[in-house]
Amino acid sequence: MLWVEKYRPKTIKDVVADKSILERVIAWAKRWQEGIPQKPLLLGGPPGVGKTSLALALANTFGWEVVELNASDQRSWQIIKRIVGEAVFNETISDEGEFLSSDEGRLKLILLDEVDNVSKKEDFGGESALIKLLKKKPRQPIILTANDPFKLSKELRDLCEFIQFKRLRTDQIVKVLERICASEGIRCDRRALIAIAQNAGGDLRAAINDLQAIAEGRKEIKAEDVVVAKRTQELDVFKVMQKIFKRFDRTVYTDAMNLDESPEDLIVWIDENLPLEYEGEELLKAYLVLSRADMFLGRVKRRGFYRLWRYATYLMTVGVAYAKQKPKGGFTRYQRPEIWQMLVLIRERRERIKSILKKIAKNSHMSTKKALNEMFFFVVYMLRHADIETASKIAVFYDLSEEEIALIAGESRAKEIKEFARRKGIKRVEVVEEEEFFKAFEREEKREEVKVEKKEEEEREVEKEKKAKKRRKKKKEKAEVTLDKFFS
Amino acid sequence: MINAIINGEVIKTAVKAIVALVSEARFHFKEEGLHSRAVDPANVAMVIVDIPRESFDVYTVEEEKTIGVDVNRVNDILKTVKKKELVELKVEDESMLKIKFGSVEYSVALIDPSAIRKEPKIPELELPAKVVLDAGEFKKAIQAADKIADHVVFRTDETGFYIEAKGDIDRIVFHMGEMELIEFNREKARSMFSIEYLKEFVKIAGSGDILTIHLGDDYPVRLVFDVADGKLKVEYILAPRIEAE
C-alpha cells in the first residue's frame, strides 16, 4: 500500500497546513453544521501540499459523506453538472446505505478535485453551467481544488471562498516523515530526511513517495542513501529559463519536456525573456531558431501531428541555448509573458464595446452591425470632441455608463460628461414645451435647405432630429390619451 | 461456472434499471437468484434488483459467485434483443461474461468486483404511508411533471395520493383516491423529490406493472416495481430534496 494513502490524515488535527487556513476551514464547516449554507471553498496551491487531504479529513472529522470527482474519472463538465447538480440539492444515501438528513447536520461534501484541469479542455459552456449551479445556493458543502486557480474564470472564483495554500516548509515535511518512520519502525538519520524534504521542493506527497522508495526493504536509512535516489524534481519554468539562457546544457530539453507547460506556452515564455539576456547577433540567431520552433508548432496545430512537438521543444530550448557565444552570468529577473494578460484585456474590451453597440442599436433602432458601421464613429467623435452639453446629452440618450464613456473618450472626459449630466439633471426623455417641439421641426427644414454644413453640426442635427422624433412620438401618445378621455 | 437462460424482457429491464444510476455494478449469482444493488455517484439514490430463481428458464450456479459488470455496455447490446427472445448468460472463467441471443454471441470483459464502488447495505427506513398503484399511471404523472418543474411533491392524506409539481406559471396535480388505488393505508406523509431521478426510474415500467410506494415525511421514498409479470423486482430508494427555507 502506498504510504501516501496509508498516512493520509484521518482528522483535521493531523493535517499539515498553516494554522490560519485550518481555522478558516473549520469555521466554514461549523457554520454548515449549524445549517447555514456557505459559499463553496476553493483551495488553490501547488501539488502535494494537502488540498485534497484537508478536504477529506474535514469530511471525516464532521462525519460527512464524500462525493469525490477527481481527475482520474472520465469526467467532463456535463457529468460534473449532472452529479453535482443533483448531489447538492438532495439529501444523502451513504455508501453504507444509510439515510443522512441535513437537518441533523449529516451533510455530504462534494469534492471537485483539480477543477482547473477540466475547465478549458472539454466544452466551454461547462464552466458557466457550474457557475449557474453555484448561484442557485447549493444546500450541501462544496470544495473545489485547483493547482492554478487563476486558470478559472473570475466569476467562478468570486463565487467561492478562496484559500491559497503555500508550498510546505522543509521542517514541516521532515516532521511528517519522522512520524511515518516511527510508525513503520524504521530508524532514520535526520539528515537523510532533511535531504528528502529539500529535494521535494515543498511537495509533501513527493517527499513521502521518495521516502517509501528509499525505505523499501530497509530498516535503516542513512544520509548516503538519499543521494542515489535523486528525484526528477518538478521544475518550474523559471529554472528552465535559467538553464537555457545562462548555460550550455543539453539536458534542458528533458527538463522542458517534464515541465508542466505545453510547448505552445513555453515558447511564449522564451520569447518574452529572450531580449533580457541576449543582444546583438546572439539575439538575432536565437530569434531565428525560435521562429523555426514556432513553425513546427504551427505544423502541429494544422496537422494534429504531435510528434513534431519534440523538434519544436528541442529548437526552442537547446537551439536557443546554443545561439549565445558564452555562458551568461548574473541574476536576471524573468518575466511572466504579457501576451496572455493582453489577450484577456483585448477580449474584455471587445465585450464592452459590444455592450455599447447594443445600447446604440437599441436606442437608435438599428442592428448592432449597422450601429458599428454607421453610428459608432459618430458617437465616438461626439463624445470626444463635442461641447460638453451635447456630449452628455448623447451619453444620457444612449444610457452609457461612466466606464463605457471612459473606454471611448478617456477617463477625465467621462467624469466631466457624467458630472455635467448630473448637475444639469439631464434625463433621457425630456419634457418639452410645445414651441421647442416646433423649433426642432423648423430646424430640420432649414437643414434640408442648407446642405453644406460642418460634419460636426450635421451629426448634432441627426441627434436632435432623432430626439425630436422621439418627442413627437411621445407627444402623439399623450395627445391620444387626452382625446380618448375627452370623448368617453 | 454459471449458466442461465432467461426471457429477454426480464434481463433487459433489469439492466436498464441499474443503468439509470450507475455504469458499473456487481451481479451476485446466488442460490435464490440474481441480485444487484448500487448507490449512484451523487449519493442520492439506490437501486436494488432481484430476479428470483423461478424467473429463469435455466439456472445452474455451481457455487455462488459475484461478478463486476460494465452495465453501460451490456445495456447497449441488450437493446437489440427482442422481448420474447431467450437470452443465455454464461460465466466460464473470471474474466468473461458471454451473452447469447438468437445467433449472436457477445462476450464482454468483466471488471474486478473490488474495483467497483463499495456496495451499500439495504437501509431500514420507517415509512408510514403505503400506496400501491398501476406503474403506468405513475409514469404518466412523472412525465407530465417533468415538462414544467425539476422537483415534485409526493403527498398522502385520507383523501388519497397526490403528486404535485409547480412551474413558474403552471402547476400539475395528479390525484388518485382510495378507489383508484390498488392498496392504500390512509397514512399522512409528504416529501419532495428530484424529477431527474424519477424520470429515469419510470423508464422500466409500463401500464400493467405494479408499483408500491412507501412514503415518509421529508424522508426517502421506496419505489418497488414489479415488472415483467412479476418475474423481476426492482426497488429504488431516493433521498428527498432539501427544501429551501
Side-chain angles (χ1 to χ4, degrees):
Chain A
M1 190 183 184
L2 278 180
W3 287 359
V4 186
E5 288 301 325
K6 191 169 168 188
Y7 293 101
R8 211 183 250 284
K10 301 284 181 300
T11 65
I12 195 87
K13 269 179 270 156
D14 304 332
V15 177
V16 185
D18 278 356
K19 219 175 153 201
S20 62
I21 291 179
L22 291 179
E23 276 166 5
R24 265 175 84 183
V25 174
I26 291 173
W28 177 83
K30 279 196 174 140
R31 280 193 298 271
W32 265 112
Q33 201 74 10
E34 288 159 14
I36 312 163
Q38 299 290 306
K39 277 181 170 184
L41 283 185
L42 172 61
L43 309 180
V49 294
K51 302 184 293 291
T52 310
S53 292
L54 173 65
L56 292 176
L58 188 72
N60 208 10
T61 309
F62 285 88
W64 295 348
E65 190 69 22
V66 179
V67 171
E68 190 178 355
L69 290 161
N70 53 35
S72 64
D73 300 332
Q74 17 145 307
R75 64 170 183 185
S76 63
W77 283 111
Q78 213 96 52
I79 295 172
I80 292 178
K81 201 184 105 196
R82 216 189 56 226
I83 294 181
V84 176
E86 290 302 330
V88 294
F89 296 113
N90 285 302
E91 302 279 6
T92 313
I93 288 174
S94 77
D95 284 347
E96 297 288 338
E98 199 187 346
F99 171 60
L100 310 177
S101 167
S102 63
D103 272 354
E104 294 156 19
R106 308 205 59 184
L107 299 166
K108 125 180 81 184
L109 174 71
I110 290 101
L111 176 56
L112 287 171
D113 231 348
E114 297 179 22
V115 268
D116 49 337
N117 273 343
V118 225
S119 57
K120 300 283 141 60
K121 250 189 273 168
E122 312 251 327
D123 43 340
F124 275 92
E127 202 176 326
S128 58
L130 183 67
I131 290 170
K132 225 185 262 168
L133 209 89
L134 295 184
K135 279 186 179 161
K136 279 203 266 173
K137 299 249 156 62
R139 317 287 303 175
Q140 302 271 13
I142 302 177
I143 293 184
L144 301 91
T145 76
N147 287 335
D148 184 2
F150 295 96
K151 262 198 203 163
L152 302 170
S153 69
K154 186 170 180 303
E155 202 183 0
L156 182 56
R157 255 181 295 136
D158 288 346
L159 279 169
C160 303
E161 190 176 333
F162 178 42
I163 297 179
Q164 177 73 41
F165 281 62
K166 286 193 213 76
R167 282 184 191 282
L168 296 173
R169 294 189 309 272
T170 308
D171 62 297
Q172 284 174 311
I173 294 177
V174 169
K175 231 194 225 159
V176 178
L177 296 183
E178 273 176 337
R179 212 168 58 209
I180 292 175
C181 284
S183 49
E184 287 289 324
I186 296 167
R187 266 189 301 135
C188 206
D189 189 342
R190 200 182 147 79
R191 276 177 307 159
L193 295 187
I194 291 176
I196 292 172
Q198 278 169 348
N199 194 14
D203 182 340
L204 181 57
R205 177 172 38 214
I208 297 177
N209 280 335
D210 285 350
L211 179 69
Q212 186 173 16
I214 295 166
E216 199 70 61
R218 283 184 219 236
K219 280 274 144 230
E220 193 177 354
I221 299 174
K222 295 195 204 80
E224 304 86 89
D225 298 331
V226 180
V227 193
V228 194
K230 179 93 180 164
R231 183 181 178 79
T232 46
Q233 215 172 335
E234 275 183 44
L235 281 166
D236 62 17
V237 69
F238 293 99
K239 290 210 181 99
V240 172
M241 291 292 120
Q242 235 169 33
K243 221 167 172 181
I244 293 174
F245 295 132
K246 303 282 190 208
R247 285 192 272 161
F248 290 111
D249 189 346
R250 285 175 201 276
T251 58
V252 68
Y253 167 69
T254 334
D255 293 344
M257 289 300 253
N258 288 333
L259 205 59
D260 195 20
E261 305 264 353
S262 76
E264 277 147 352
D265 291 342
L266 185 63
I267 199 168
V268 182
W269 275 94
I270 297 169
D271 173 50
E272 181 80 27
N273 291 303
L274 194 49
L276 299 178
E277 291 276 14
Y278 291 9
E279 52 188 13
E281 205 181 327
E282 287 175 344
L283 188 62
L284 176 68
K285 270 190 186 165
Y287 266 123
L288 279 174
V289 182
L290 204 60
S291 64
R292 174 135 297 199
D294 195 34
M295 280 165 66
F296 277 106
L297 290 181
R299 284 171 195 162
V300 170
K301 261 250 159 84
R302 270 203 308 283
R303 301 178 196 170
F305 191 62
Y306 283 85
R307 207 186 284 174
L308 293 178
W309 260 5
R310 67 170 70 170
Y311 301 111
T313 312
Y314 199 83
L315 283 168
M316 75 178 79
T317 53
V318 182
V320 170
Y322 279 79
K324 60 181 170 282
Q325 269 132 22
K326 54 177 187 280
K328 304 274 171 194
F331 172 78
T332 316
R333 179 175 290 282
Y334 297 113
Q335 284 165 3
R336 251 189 110 71
E338 273 169 15
I339 183 160
W340 296 316
Q341 219 181 341
M342 255 153 62
L343 285 176
V344 172
L345 282 180
I346 288 170
R347 198 187 314 142
E348 270 176 15
R349 195 185 140 85
R350 205 184 302 136
E351 289 297 316
R352 296 221 318 257
I353 293 210
K354 227 190 219 164
S355 95
I356 295 175
L357 284 177
K358 265 192 194 145
K359 284 181 181 175
I360 293 178
K362 188 180 156 219
N363 292 318
S364 296
H365 309 283
M366 52 177 68
S367 68
T368 39
K369 200 171 171 190
K370 201 165 177 189
L372 174 65
N373 291 332
E374 296 179 16
M375 274 310 284
F376 186 60
F377 61 96
F378 276 135
V379 176
V380 169
Y381 187 85
M382 294 300 279
L383 284 177
R384 280 189 192 154
H385 303 291
D387 61 286
I388 192 76
E389 190 177 348
T390 321
S392 42
K393 269 186 187 163
I394 290 172
V396 171
F397 179 77
Y398 286 121
D399 194 21
L400 299 175
S401 70
E402 187 167 334
E403 253 182 23
E404 286 166 339
I405 303 170
L407 189 70
I408 292 175
E411 264 171 51
S412 58
R413 175 86 172 164
K415 217 174 233 166
E416 214 181 320
I417 289 173
K418 271 280 165 187
E419 187 57 41
F420 186 85
R422 208 165 324 155
R423 216 177 44 238
K424 295 276 172 173
I426 299 176
K427 298 262 166 50
R428 200 170 162 269
V429 180
E430 286 170 60
V431 186
V432 213
E433 296 300 319
E434 197 92 351
E435 284 148 71
E436 259 187 77
F437 171 57
F438 284 117
K439 250 186 231 160
F441 256 113
E442 281 160 25
R443 219 180 295 163
E444 191 188 343
E445 277 163 15
K446 220 189 275 169
R447 193 185 64 94
E448 268 170 25
E449 285 164 20
V450 192
K451 288 231 163 138
V452 196
E453 251 183 330
K454 268 188 191 169
K455 201 172 158 195
E456 199 178 325
E457 283 287 322
E458 203 175 284
E459 163 58 15
R460 207 177 307 163
E461 288 303 325
V462 172
E463 215 38 62
K464 278 271 157 63
E465 188 187 338
K466 213 159 280 140
K467 272 188 200 169
K469 268 187 198 158
K470 264 236 133 66
R471 285 171 207 149
R472 231 178 295 158
K473 211 171 142 201
K474 203 86 187 173
K475 274 280 172 201
K476 228 178 176 177
E477 276 168 15
K478 259 188 200 163
E480 273 166 17
V481 169
T482 31
L483 276 181
D484 273 351
K485 264 188 187 163
F486 187 72
F487 285 118
S488 60
Chain B
M1 165 100 181
I2 292 162
N3 191 11
I5 297 178
I6 192 166
N7 176 282
E9 190 191 356
V10 177
I11 189 72
K12 265 172 93 164
T13 316
V15 173
K16 211 199 253 172
I18 299 169
V19 168
L21 290 187
V22 290
S23 55
E24 297 168 352
R26 291 188 185 83
F27 281 23
H28 302 279
F29 287 94
K30 289 185 169 174
E31 211 34 59
E32 58 277 12
L34 177 63
H35 170 84
S36 178
R37 60 181 193 268
V39 168
D40 87 306
N43 279 73
V44 174
M46 186 200 254
V47 59
I48 306 157
V49 170
D50 276 296
I51 311 176
R53 194 189 178 110
E54 299 76 51
S55 303
F56 289 88
D57 292 337
V58 175
Y59 190 76
T60 31
V61 175
E62 281 167 9
E63 55 180 319
E64 296 201 343
K65 198 176 168 82
T66 301
I67 58 171
V69 180
D70 185 337
V71 278
N72 258 348
R73 296 196 98 100
V74 174
N75 185 46
D76 271 352
I77 292 303
L78 289 178
K79 273 179 190 161
T80 58
V81 176
K82 292 194 194 77
K83 273 192 170 182
K84 299 285 176 208
E85 213 166 4
L86 284 179
V87 178
E88 185 180 0
L89 305 174
K90 238 185 194 172
V91 184
E92 279 159 351
D93 53 48
E94 298 293 315
S95 61
M96 278 288 175
L97 169 68
K98 281 187 184 154
I99 302 174
K100 260 190 185 166
F101 53 93
S103 31
V104 180
E105 184 182 284
Y106 170 71
S107 302
V108 62
L110 292 174
I111 306 165
D112 179 6
S114 63
I116 300 176
R117 235 169 127 216
K118 216 164 63 185
E119 202 164 45
K121 288 197 206 91
I122 298 170
E124 282 173 28
L125 302 167
E126 272 181 40
L127 300 164
K130 183 182 175 192
V131 181
V132 182
L133 72 164
D134 183 273
E137 290 297 314
F138 182 74
K139 186 176 187 172
K140 269 186 238 161
I142 296 299
Q143 284 170 345
D146 181 37
K147 300 273 185 289
I148 65 164
D150 60 357
H151 53 268
V152 283
V153 172
F154 288 0
R155 187 163 66 80
T156 56
D157 57 24
E158 313 82 61
T159 59
F161 173 56
Y162 295 84
I163 299 177
E164 298 164 347
K166 230 166 100 183
D168 292 331
I169 47 163
D170 38 12
R171 205 179 125 90
I172 284 184
V173 179
F174 164 90
H175 173 228
M176 274 180 118
E178 203 170 353
M179 295 304 290
E180 295 155 284
L181 296 168
I182 299 169
E183 196 189 322
F184 181 46
N185 66 355
R186 313 191 75 169
E187 287 289 337
K188 244 181 121 154
R190 182 192 179 280
S191 297
M192 190 196 269
F193 301 98
S194 275
I195 292 187
E196 199 61 38
Y197 283 92
L198 293 168
K199 77 175 185 207
E200 292 297 318
F201 298 169
V202 295
K203 277 184 185 164
I204 59 160
S207 67
D209 295 331
I210 290 171
L211 167 63
T212 311
I213 301 174
H214 299 269
L215 190 65
D217 275 316
D218 290 325
Y219 220 63
V221 66
R222 276 177 65 197
L223 303 165
V224 186
F225 291 91
D226 269 307
V227 281
D229 302 326
K231 283 185 175 163
L232 167 68
K233 195 180 104 183
V234 177
E235 179 174 344
Y236 286 112
I237 297 170
L238 177 62
R241 272 183 87 91
I242 304 172
E243 295 185 48
E245 281 95 61

